[in-house]
């Protein structure tokens, strides 16, 4: 049985890593089928992580919804 405190520690770890957070946010944005113009970050490194996540998420979205027009 997993200790519930372990899960909370993982969540805090995610909050401390801004690159992972940016990637995860981009991935969720892409998985919703939205285009890549919604990046909320100004810092280059975070923008890069967000766009990497968006690409992965959008690819997953397109696999689930192949009838959707691709973003150009």
């Amino acid at each position: 049985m997993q200790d519930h405190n372990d899960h909370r520690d993982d969540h805090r770890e995610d909050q401390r890593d801004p690159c992972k957070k940016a990637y995860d946010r981009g991935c969720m944005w892409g998985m919703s089928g939205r285009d890549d113009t919604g990046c909320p970050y100004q810092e280059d490194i975070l923008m890069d992580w967000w766009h990497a996540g968006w690409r992965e998420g959008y690819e997953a979205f397109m696999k689930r919804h192949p009838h959707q027009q691709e973003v150009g």
Side-chain angles (χ1 to χ4, degrees), residues 5-70:
N5 289 330
D6 291 342
H7 180 69
R8 277 186 255 138
D9 288 342
D10 290 343
H11 183 67
R12 273 185 251 137
E13 183 78 22
D14 290 349
Q15 289 178 337
R16 281 186 238 140
D17 186 349
C19 293
K20 182 175 181 355
K21 183 176 180 181
Y23 180 89
D24 290 346
R25 287 180 74 182
C27 192
M28 294 301 291
W29 189 266
M31 287 176 67
S32 71
R34 292 180 274 190
D35 66 25
D36 67 344
T37 60
C39 181
Y41 298 100
Q42 302 298 315
E43 293 180 61
D44 287 343
I45 186 81
L46 296 179
M47 288 172 63
D48 289 346
W49 279 99
W50 187 92
H51 279 96
W54 176 85
R55 281 189 296 275
E56 184 171 320
Y58 193 74
E59 185 176 302
F61 172 81
M62 291 305 295
K63 286 179 182 176
R64 287 191 318 268
H65 306 280
H67 63 281
Q68 296 288 327
Q69 183 180 8
E70 291 211 27

